[in-house]
C-alpha cells in the first residue's frame, strides 16, 4: 500500500473519471432552462468548465510544440525521445485539473462572493502579483526542498522525477499530495486578492492560465528564451526561469528548486552555477549534442484522418496503433486545409526519431497524401520532393535512406532506381526494403503449402514471391490478364520450375486454394471465391476488408524492432508498439549490417533468405497477427 495521499482516488476509473465533471455540466444545463434566467449570465460552473478546458488546451499545445521536431530539434535540451513507458506513466497527467475543479467548487460555496466577481479590477492584478512573489514563490520553494528529503522524495516526488525526458505533460504528473499543495500555492494570490475586495474574473483566468503556461514552459524540453535577453537585462534571469534552468533541476536534483523565479534559488544558495552558460549554449542552437542520423525512413501521408496520427498533434493518440477516432472528426476540415497548404509550400520534414545501438534513426515525411500519388500531374512534384530528401540525406552524412510504400512506387520512380541512376555518386544508400517485405510474407506461409493464389502477381513484390515459391516447388496461381507480363516473369525462373507458375484470369480458379497472397485490393465479392478456412496474406495498401468470418486475415508485412531500441514513443500507422513496416525494417537491417549497395529496382530473389536471416541475427522479430480467427460451426 502506498503512502497517504500518494494515489489518486479515481486512478482506476479510466475514461469514466471525466464523469466527475457531470455535476457542473448539469448545473450549467439547468441554468439554461431555469425560468428565473430570463437573461442568461455565465454561471461560475460554466466558467469552471471553460477554465478547465483552456488549461488542458495549454498543456496539449505546449506538448504539440515541443514535438514539432522540424522546428525544435536544434534547441532540444534532452536529446533522448519520450518512449512508450513514459507516455503510459503520464497518461493521466490531467488528474490535477479534476482535483482543482472540485477544490474551486468547494471554495465557491465556502466563499459565496467568488460567484459574483466583476469582470475586471486592475488592483487585483497588483495584489495577486505581490501575494505571488511574497507568499506563493517562497512557499513553493520551501515545500519543494522538503519534498527532496529522503522520505517525501521516495514516497511522493520521485514520481514526478521518474520521467527521463521533461515534457509539457510531465508538469501535471505528480501525486495527489503534491497537487493539493500546488492548489494552495495557486489559490493564495487569487483568494487573497478577492478577500481584499480586488478579485475579478480576469484575475482568475489570467493568473491560473499564466501559471499553467509557465509550468509547461519550464518542462517543454525546448530552449526558446534568447540568451541576448538576459545579456541586455541581466536582472531578468532572477525574475523568470527557463526550460534549461528547470531541466537542470531534473538532472541535478539538489539545485534550481524555484517555482518560476530563480531569485529564491539565489537567496537559498541552491542556484546551479551552470544555469546561465548552459542556457546560452542551448538557446544559440549549438552544443546540444545534435547528431546526424545514421538511418532515415522516408514516409508519406496516407489520408486526411491518419495525418493527425503524429506526436505533434496529440502524443497519446500517436502512441497507439492508428484507428479512426470520433474526437478527431471535427478537426478533419482543418487537417485537409493544412494538407493543401503543405502541398503548396512544405518540404520534407522530420516527424519522429529513436535510437538503436547508439545510432540515431529518424522518420522524415514527404508532405503528400496517398491520393496525390495517383494524380498524373503530381508525379513530377512528388519525385522532386523525394529527390531533395535523398540529396539532403547525402549532404548531411546519412548512411541509409529507406523509401516507404508509395515513395518507391514502380510507376513513380522504378522503386528508387530513378534517383540512383540520376545521381551515381550518392554516398547515402537508397533502399526500398521490399526484399525483407517479401521475406516476411514468404516466411508466414506454412512449409506444407503446395499451392497459393497470388493477386498483384506481376508487381515487384508479386514477381519476387512467385519466383521464390516456384523454386520451392509450390504451385503459384498468378492472377493477371497480361500474358506478356506473366511470360516475362515465367522465363526468369529456372527451366525446371517454370511449370509451377500458372496464369489464371479469374478468381474462380482459386476456389480450392486455401492460401491467398493479396497484392491487389479485392472486394468482398471476390473474396467469396476463397474456400472456407482460407488465410489471406497481404501486401496491399490499404489492407483488404476482413469480410469472411470463416477465414483468417494477416496484416501488412511487419517486424518488431530489437528490444534495445530507445526513445520510441509513436506507432507507425496501424502497426503495434515497437512494430514497423517490413520496408522500414529492411532499411534498418541495411544500416545495421553496413551493406554498401543500393537496394532499388527489381527484388533480387537470391537475397531474400540472406536478408531474412540477417534481420533475425540483429534481433528483429517477425510479427504474425491475425485480424480474425477461424470460427467453427
Amino acid at each position: 500500500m502506498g503512502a497517504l495521499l500518494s494515489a489518486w482516488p479515481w486512478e482506476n476509473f479510466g475514461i469514466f473519471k471525466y464523469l466527475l465533471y457531470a455535476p457542473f455540466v448539469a448545473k450549467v444545463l439547468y441554468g439554461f432552462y431555469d425560468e428565473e434566467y430570463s437573461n442568461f449570465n455565465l454561471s461560475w460552473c460554466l466558467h469552471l468548465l471553460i477554465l478547465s478546458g483552456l488549461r488542458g488546451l495549454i498543456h496539449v499545445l505546449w506538448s504539440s510544440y515541443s514535438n514539432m521536431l522540424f522546428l525544435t530539434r536544434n534547441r532540444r535540451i534532452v536529446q533522448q525521445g519520450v518512449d512508450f513507458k513514459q507516455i503510459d506513466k503520464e497518461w493521466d497527467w490531467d488528474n490535477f485539473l479534476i482535483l482543482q475543479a472540485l477544490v474551486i467548487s468547494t471554495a465557491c460555496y465556502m466563499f459565496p462572493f467568488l460567484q459574483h466577481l466583476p469582470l475586471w479590477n486592475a488592483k487585483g492584478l497588483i495584489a495577486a502579483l505581490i501575494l505571488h512573489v511574497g507568499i506563493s514563490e517562497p512557499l513553493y520553494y520551501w515545500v519543494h526542498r522538503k519534498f527532496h528529503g529522503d522520505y517525501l522524495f521516495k514516497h511522493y516526488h520521485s514520481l514526478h522525477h521518474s520521467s527521463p525526458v521533461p515534457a509539457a505533460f510531465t508538469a501535471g504528473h505528480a501525486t495527489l499530495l503534491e497537487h493539493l499543495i500546488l492548489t494552495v500555492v495557486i489559490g493564495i494570490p487569487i483568494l487573497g486578492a478577492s478577500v481584499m475586495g480586488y478579485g475579478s474574473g480576469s484575475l482568475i483566468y489570467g493568473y491560473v492560465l499564466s501559471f499553467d503556461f509557465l509550468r509547461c514552459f519550464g518542462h517543454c524540453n525546448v530552449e526558446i528564451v534568447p540568451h541576448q535577453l538576459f545579456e541586455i537585462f541581466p536582472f531578468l534571469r532572477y525574475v523568470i526561469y527557463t526550460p534549461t534552468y528547470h531541466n537542470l533541476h531534473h538532472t541535478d536534483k539538489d539545485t534550481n528548486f524555484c517555482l518560476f523565479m530563480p531569485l529564491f534559488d539565489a537567496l537559498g544558495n541552491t542556484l546551479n552555477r551552470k544555469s546561465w552558460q548552459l542556457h546560452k549554449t542551448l538557446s544559440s542552437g549549438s552544443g546540444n549534442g545534435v547528431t546526424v542520423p545514421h538511418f532515415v525512413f522516408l514516409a508519406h501521408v496516407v489520408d486526411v484522418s491518419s495525418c493527425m496520427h503524429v506526436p505533434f498533434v496529440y502524443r497519446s493518440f500517436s502512441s497507439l496503433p492508428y484507428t479512426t477516432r470520433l474526437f478527431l472528426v471535427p478537426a478533419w476540415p482543418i487537417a485537409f486545409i493544412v494538407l493543401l497548404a503543405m502541398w503548396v509550400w512544405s518540404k520534407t520534414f522530420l516527424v519522429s526519431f529513436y535510437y538503436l545501438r547508439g545510432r540515431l534513426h529518424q522518420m522524415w515525411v514527404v508532405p503528400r497524401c496517398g491520393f496525390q500519388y495517383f494524380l498524373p500531374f503530381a508525379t513530377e512534384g512528388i519525385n522532386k520532393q523525394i529527390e531533395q530528401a535523398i540529396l539532403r540525406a547525402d549532404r548531411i552524412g546519412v548512411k541509409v535512406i529507406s523509401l516507404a510504400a508509395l515513395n518507391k512506387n514502380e510507376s513513380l520512380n522504378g522503386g528508387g532506381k530513378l534517383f540512383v541512376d540520376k545521381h551515381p555518386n550518392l554516398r547515402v544508400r537508397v533502399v526500398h526494403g521490399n526484399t525483407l517485405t517479401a521475406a516476411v510474407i514468404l516466411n508466414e506461409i506454412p512449409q506444407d503449402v503446395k499451392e497459393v493464389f497470388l493477386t498483384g502477381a506481376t508487381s515487384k513484390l508479386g514477381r519476387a514471391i512467385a519466383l521464390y515459391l516456384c523454386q520451392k516447388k509450390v504451385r503459384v496461381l498468378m492472377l493477371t490478364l497480361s500474358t506478356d507480363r506473366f511470360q516475362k516473369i515465367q522465363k526468369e525462373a529456372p527451366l525446371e520450375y517454370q511449370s509451377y507458375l500458372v496464369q489464371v484470369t479469374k478468381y474462380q480458379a482459386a476456389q480450392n486454394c486455401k492460401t491467398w497472397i493479396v497484392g491487389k485490393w479485392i472486394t468482398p465479392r471476390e473474396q467469396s471465391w476463397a474456400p472456407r478456412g482460407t488465410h489471406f496474406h497481404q501486401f496491399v495498401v490499404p489492407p483488404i476488408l476482413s469480410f469472411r468470418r470463416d477465414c483468417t486475415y494477416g496484416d501488412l508485412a511487419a517486424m518488431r524492432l530489437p528490444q534495445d531500441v530507445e526513445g520510441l514513443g509513436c506507432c507507425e500507422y496501424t502497426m503495434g508498439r515497437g512494430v514497423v513496416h517490413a520496408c522500414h525494417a529492411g532499411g534498418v537491417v541495411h544500416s545495421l549490417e553496413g551493406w554498401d549497395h543500393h537496394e532499388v529496382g527489381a527484388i533480387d530473389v537470391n537475397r531474400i533468405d540472406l536478408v531474412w536471416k540477417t534481420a533475425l541475427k540483429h534481433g528483429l522479430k517477425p510479427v504474425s497477427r491475425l485480424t480474425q480467427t477461424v470460427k467453427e460451426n
Side-chain angles (χ1 to χ4, degrees):
M1 184 176 179
L4 181 66
L5 298 180
S6 64
W8 293 87
W10 48 82
E11 68 178 12
N12 295 320
F13 285 18
I15 196 172
F16 295 105
K17 70 181 181 181
Y18 298 110
L19 291 177
L20 294 170
Y21 287 113
F24 308 121
V25 176
K27 186 172 178 62
V28 172
L29 294 177
Y30 177 77
F32 276 110
Y33 296 101
D34 190 344
E35 294 180 358
E36 296 181 4
Y37 277 67
S38 55
N39 293 314
F40 178 71
N41 295 313
L42 295 181
S43 70
W44 65 269
C45 284
L46 182 56
H47 279 298
L48 189 150
L49 292 172
I50 293 173
L51 185 60
S52 295
L54 290 175
R55 298 181 72 186
L57 182 62
I58 285 175
H59 284 75
V60 170
L61 292 178
W62 267 112
S63 175
S64 295
Y65 170 73
S66 61
N67 281 296
M68 291 179 179
L69 300 175
F70 48 91
L71 295 178
T72 64
R73 65 182 181 275
N74 291 330
R75 293 176 179 264
R76 286 176 60 83
I77 302 167
V78 178
Q79 290 299 310
Q80 182 182 349
V82 178
D83 59 17
F84 293 119
K85 183 179 180 180
Q86 178 173 339
I87 292 173
D88 289 343
K89 190 179 294 184
E90 297 177 350
W91 196 271
D92 292 314
W93 61 270
D94 59 345
N95 278 336
F96 78 97
L97 294 178
I98 300 175
L99 169 69
Q100 293 179 6
L102 297 175
V103 172
I104 292 172
S105 65
T106 303
C108 285
Y109 282 110
M110 292 177 63
F111 307 100
F113 62 86
L114 292 175
Q115 301 181 29
H116 308 287
L117 295 175
L119 178 63
W120 172 259
N121 190 324
K123 293 181 180 179
L125 299 179
I126 298 173
L129 182 60
I130 294 172
L131 290 170
H132 174 85
V133 176
I135 300 179
S136 292
E137 282 280 353
L139 175 62
Y140 179 89
Y141 174 81
W142 179 78
V143 172
H144 194 180
R145 287 195 67 173
K146 292 297 181 182
F147 267 104
H148 277 259
D150 291 340
Y151 179 83
L152 290 178
F153 187 84
K154 178 180 178 181
H155 292 91
Y156 296 95
H157 199 47
S158 60
L159 178 67
H160 179 71
H161 279 272
S162 65
S163 298
V165 183
F169 294 148
T170 309
H173 181 54
T175 59
L176 175 61
L177 177 61
E178 291 173 278
H179 274 296
L180 283 171
I181 296 172
L182 201 60
T183 302
V184 173
V185 171
I186 298 174
I188 288 173
I190 295 174
L191 188 58
S194 300
V195 169
M196 295 177 193
Y198 302 141
S200 67
S202 299
L203 169 63
I204 295 175
Y205 274 93
Y207 183 79
V208 172
L209 295 180
S210 296
F211 194 97
D212 285 345
F213 183 91
L214 290 174
R215 289 270 293 168
C216 293
F217 163 72
H219 288 86
C220 73
N221 195 39
V222 180
E223 187 49 76
I224 60 177
V225 179
H227 65 89
Q228 293 89 346
L229 181 65
F230 292 157
E231 293 174 354
I232 298 173
F233 305 104
F235 70 92
L236 285 180
R237 64 182 56 175
Y238 296 102
V239 175
I240 187 69
Y241 75 164
T242 66
T244 301
Y245 186 94
H246 189 69
N247 184 77
L248 279 170
H249 171 70
H250 279 259
T251 55
D252 184 359
K253 299 178 177 62
D254 294 326
T255 60
N256 294 8
F257 292 100
C258 75
L259 178 57
F260 304 132
M261 299 179 66
L263 171 65
F264 292 93
D265 278 308
L267 295 174
N269 197 31
T270 55
L271 196 153
N272 193 304
R273 295 181 179 180
K274 296 185 294 184
S275 299
W276 315 133
Q277 184 57 46
L278 183 60
H279 169 258
K280 182 177 181 179
T281 301
L282 292 174
S283 66
S284 62
S286 62
N288 58 357
V290 174
T291 56
V292 174
H294 194 275
F295 165 73
V296 168
F297 182 57
L298 188 61
H300 61 81
V301 181
V302 177
D303 53 40
V304 175
S305 177
S306 65
C307 77
M308 293 181 280
H309 186 251
V310 288
F312 62 80
V313 172
Y314 193 57
R315 189 184 76 176
S316 300
F317 175 52
S318 67
S319 72
L320 299 173
Y322 169 74
T323 57
T324 302
R325 303 296 178 99
L326 290 178
F327 75 88
L328 289 175
V329 171
W332 284 8
I334 299 174
F336 183 70
I337 293 173
V338 171
L339 283 177
L340 292 179
M342 289 168 59
W343 192 353
V344 178
W345 291 296
S346 181
K347 297 180 180 179
T348 300
F349 58 95
L350 171 63
V351 167
S352 63
F353 70 94
Y354 60 88
Y355 285 88
L356 183 60
R357 294 166 195 170
R359 296 174 173 179
L360 176 61
H361 292 197
Q362 292 183 343
M363 178 187 289
W364 299 357
V365 171
V366 174
R368 295 295 184 270
C369 206
F371 73 90
Q372 294 171 302
Y373 284 77
F374 301 98
L375 302 176
F377 62 84
T379 300
E380 183 179 352
I382 293 172
N383 273 334
K384 184 178 180 180
Q385 289 275 353
I386 299 171
E387 181 180 11
Q388 289 177 344
I390 292 173
L391 293 177
R392 177 188 166 203
D394 186 66
R395 186 171 59 254
I396 66 176
V398 176
K399 301 301 182 183
V400 177
I401 184 167
S402 180
L403 307 180
L406 297 175
N407 284 336
K408 61 188 175 207
N409 192 296
E410 192 70 25
S411 61
L412 182 69
N413 51 49
K417 193 172 186 298
L418 172 68
F419 310 116
V420 173
D421 291 343
K422 186 176 179 180
H423 303 282
N425 296 321
L426 286 174
R427 291 169 298 174
V428 63
R429 296 307 164 194
V430 182
V431 175
H432 56 46
N434 282 339
T435 307
L436 186 56
T437 303
V440 170
I441 296 169
L442 290 165
N443 280 276
E444 287 180 351
I445 300 173
Q447 296 291 327
D448 58 350
V449 168
K450 299 300 180 184
E451 183 180 69
V452 301
F453 175 61
L454 178 63
T455 72
T458 59
S459 66
K460 181 163 45 182
L461 270 169
R463 164 194 164 274
I465 291 170
L467 290 174
Y468 183 94
L469 288 175
C470 77
Q471 295 180 56
K472 299 294 182 180
K473 296 184 178 180
V474 176
R475 189 167 181 259
V476 183
L477 306 179
M478 300 175 63
L479 180 68
T480 177
L481 296 177
S482 174
T483 302
D484 289 341
R485 297 181 69 177
F486 166 75
Q487 290 179 346
K488 182 179 179 181
I489 294 174
Q490 188 181 42
K491 290 178 181 177
E492 289 188 63
L495 184 62
E496 64 270 27
Y497 300 117
Q498 291 182 5
S499 61
Y500 288 95
L501 300 179
V502 180
Q503 181 186 8
V504 298
T505 57
K506 295 181 179 180
Y507 287 90
Q508 293 91 318
Q511 58 187 332
N512 295 317
C513 180
K514 291 189 175 183
T515 302
W516 284 37
I517 305 175
V518 182
K520 183 178 180 181
W521 209 83
I522 58 177
T523 64
R525 178 181 177 83
E526 292 163 342
Q527 291 181 39
S528 65
W529 289 104
R532 184 174 180 273
T534 294
H535 179 72
F536 292 92
H537 304 270
Q538 50 185 319
F539 59 94
V540 59
V541 179
I544 62 175
L545 299 175
S546 303
F547 170 70
R548 294 282 300 275
R549 295 176 61 85
D550 58 348
C551 297
T552 55
Y553 293 79
D555 287 327
L556 295 177
M559 295 199 81
R560 185 174 299 280
L561 291 172
Q563 293 183 350
D564 53 345
V565 64
E566 298 176 333
L568 181 62
C570 63
C571 291
E572 191 169 294
Y573 195 37
T574 59
M575 300 290 108
R577 289 183 167 185
V579 177
V580 297
H581 292 91
C583 56
H584 182 154
V588 171
V589 172
H590 209 96
S591 168
L592 291 174
E593 190 65 14
W595 285 326
D596 60 0
H597 66 278
H598 296 290
E599 184 188 319
V600 295
I603 297 173
D604 184 350
V605 179
N606 295 324
R607 289 186 59 85
I608 290 177
D609 286 335
L610 172 63
V611 171
W612 175 254
K613 292 176 182 178
T614 304
L616 298 180
K617 181 186 75 174
H618 285 290
L620 285 88
K621 297 180 180 179
V623 181
S624 180
R625 299 175 300 164
L626 302 180
T627 58
Q628 288 188 350
T629 57
V630 178
K631 295 191 176 183
E632 302 291 342
N633 290 332

